[in-house]
Amino acid sequence: KAGVTQTPRYLIKTRGQQVTLSCSPISGHRSVSWYQQTPGQGLQFLFEYFSETQRNKGNFPGRFSGRQFSNSRSEMNVSTLELGDSALYLCASSLVSGGGSEQYFGPGTRLTVT
Amino acid sequence: GQQVMQIPQYQHVQEGEDFTTYCNSSTTLSNIQWYKQRPGGHPVFLIQLVKSGEVKKQKRLTFQFGEAKKNSSLHITATQTTDVGTYFCAGPYSGAGSYQLTFGKGTKLSVIP
């Protein structure tokens, strides 16, 4: 089985811009979760989608949003970028939602905001 | 809030020494998962523990889930340079109707050859 893929792998954006990241889960996985990883805060949960519905949401501002398509591919959008949004954004797919089963992570998108 | 505490934050060992990282939860967990992230890589799933007092082994790695299902440990016997990386524990937490897999801050393991 192909693993989780994320595009793009690297991005450089300017403050105030917006960005869209994409994630394709493992075939058959309907749950996609997004995480932000920074050296100071570690891995922080953004949100989870299951069968095109946002099932769970972390404690991030409304500038962070996402969606999931019928083929389970997911996108994450960050609007009005801030310097503090610089991070590695990871998506993970799993069979069930809510942390009930193992998650398979993609390689991540490294976002730099200048 | 609900969180997973992991200690130590860093551990430097000589190759061949043992290594242990501990994970403590503020609440009882339905399961606990362990992941490894190599430098420059992404987290990779290692194991999931579900039962109280469960012990699982993977070659030189031993995972334990506490009797109260609030703590867990990962022990590596005779570390090798290939064990270098950050080890995370993670547990599902609920709050305001939302469930999320919450990760500890991780233990970064360095192995000195």
Side-chain angles (χ1 to χ4, degrees), chain A residues 47-105:
Chain A
F47 31 67
E48 178 185 21
Y49 285 84
F50 187 89
S51 294
E52 302 178 66
T53 303
Q54 187 181 84
R55 283 283 185 94
N56 300 295
K57 189 176 190 303
N59 194 26
F60 276 80
R63 300 186 296 107
F64 292 82
S65 63
R67 59 178 177 167
Q68 187 179 34
F69 303 93
S70 58
N71 62 358
S72 293
R73 188 177 71 86
S74 177
E75 287 182 348
M76 188 191 103
N77 185 275
V78 188
S79 63
T80 319
L81 284 165
E82 300 177 0
L83 293 178
D85 297 334
S86 295
L88 179 65
Y89 289 89
L90 294 156
C91 79
S93 77
S94 59
L95 281 171
V96 301
S97 67
S101 67
E102 63 266 35
Q103 300 202 336
Y104 295 87
F105 284 82

Side-chain angles (χ1 to χ4, degrees), chain B residues 13-65:
Chain B
V13 299
Q14 288 285 143
E15 189 172 17
E17 290 183 338
D18 292 356
F19 158 78
T20 305
T21 173
Y22 300 91
C23 186
N24 291 292
S25 168
S26 55
T27 58
T28 302
L29 297 169
S30 60
N31 75 83
I32 195 156
Q33 301 172 27
W34 286 91
Y35 293 79
K36 176 184 178 182
Q37 186 173 19
R38 294 181 187 273
H42 56 275
V44 173
F45 173 78
L46 293 176
I47 207 158
Q48 180 182 35
L49 304 171
V50 179
K51 299 176 185 174
S52 168
E54 189 169 14
V55 178
K56 285 190 176 180
K57 292 190 177 185
Q58 289 179 350
K59 295 183 181 178
R60 294 178 295 103
L61 277 61
T62 302
F63 303 84
Q64 281 191 293
F65 201 8

Side-chain angles (χ1 to χ4, degrees), chain A residues 28-41:
Chain A
H29 285 190
R30 290 193 289 165
S31 169
V32 174
S33 298
W34 288 89
Y35 296 87
Q36 180 194 67
Q37 186 174 36
T38 57
Q41 297 299 318

